[in-house]
Amino acid sequence: MPEAEYARTRRHLMWRWRSNPLRRHADVVEARVVVAVWAAVSLGGAFVGTMTADSIDQSFAERRAALHTARGVLLESTMDAVAMAEGPQRISVRAQVRWTASDGATHTSRAWVDAGRKAGATVPVWTDGQGRLTREPPSAGEAAAESAFLGAGAAVAFSGMTYAAGRAIRWRLDRRRYDLWAREWEQVGPQWRRRTM
């Protein structure tokens, strides 16, 4: 790019910052608001998204570490659930299961297990620190995908709110400029009409 064209482009992009007799205080404020909003959208959105994803991923990791798996015995068949399902997807159903906790006590309750099992089959059951049944925690891959999705959602929400706040400020500045123009026109308008008659 030639030097003269570069200087012309730079002057065109920076017109709001230059000294100009037609420039008003509202123009300077608007230019600064635009820069601040876009900086907050890009930097703040990335920060909020990253922090949200990290926090959620850490929460999933803590949940996986707090849960334990135990071997249970299926007390009822889950074969009927397979007949209703179509395709190769994994189906979980609630069924009666008996398992032995880490303290040696035997428990019986309804747990989420894979469909298509016969009574007496060995199935994994997940328990928390107090030995209560819980669902299987998401795997590291599933947790990472969900964390990334929620982090992206948080980034978009933050950026949207920041952009909306910037638009509201610019709308107020526009209203103020319109009011100033109307007052100035009330002073100049009658003089203009006299000259044109």
Side-chain angles (χ1 to χ4, degrees):
M1 177 183 288
E3 187 68 32
E5 187 177 340
Y6 174 75
R8 207 170 29 252
T9 303
R10 187 165 182 252
R11 277 196 310 272
H12 178 70
L13 291 174
M14 302 298 284
W15 73 270
R16 290 180 189 258
W17 304 100
R18 289 195 322 259
S19 179
N20 183 332
L22 298 177
R23 183 185 70 182
R24 297 189 173 149
H25 179 69
D27 298 329
V28 175
V29 171
E30 181 180 17
R32 290 179 180 161
V33 165
V34 167
V35 169
V37 164
W38 285 112
V41 163
S42 58
L43 300 176
F47 177 76
V48 167
T50 302
M51 294 304 293
T52 301
D54 287 347
S55 174
I56 291 171
D57 196 38
Q58 183 179 357
S59 172
F60 281 137
E62 289 171 0
R63 183 161 189 260
R64 278 193 306 274
L67 299 181
H68 310 287
T69 185
R71 291 178 54 173
V73 177
L74 193 58
L75 300 179
E76 59 184 312
S77 174
T78 60
M79 296 297 285
D80 295 340
V82 175
M84 292 188 284
E86 295 179 13
Q89 71 259 23
R90 179 180 167 191
I91 301 170
S92 294
V93 294
R94 286 181 59 85
Q96 199 77 16
V97 176
R98 181 176 55 241
W99 76 99
T100 303
S102 56
D103 62 359
T106 302
H107 301 281
T108 302
S109 184
R110 296 186 74 74
W112 288 99
V113 297
D114 290 338
R117 303 284 182 107
K118 293 182 179 178
T122 302
V123 292
V125 292
W126 288 88
T127 59
D128 61 13
Q130 285 77 36
R132 293 182 302 240
L133 280 178
T134 184
R135 286 198 77 140
E136 179 181 357
S139 67
E142 292 169 340
E146 191 168 345
S147 298
F149 178 75
L150 293 173
V156 168
F158 175 82
S159 298
M161 288 188 298
T162 303
Y163 181 77
R167 289 297 298 166
I169 292 169
R170 290 183 69 192
W171 179 80
R172 290 290 298 150
L173 290 169
D174 284 342
R175 296 302 312 157
R176 185 171 175 204
R177 274 193 289 256
Y178 296 153
D179 292 342
L180 288 171
W181 287 337
R183 274 183 272 172
E184 289 172 1
W185 183 249
E186 286 175 5
Q187 295 171 359
V188 174
Q191 297 171 8
W192 187 292
R193 274 193 229 105
R194 270 184 287 201
R195 288 181 189 166
T196 57
M197 289 183 172

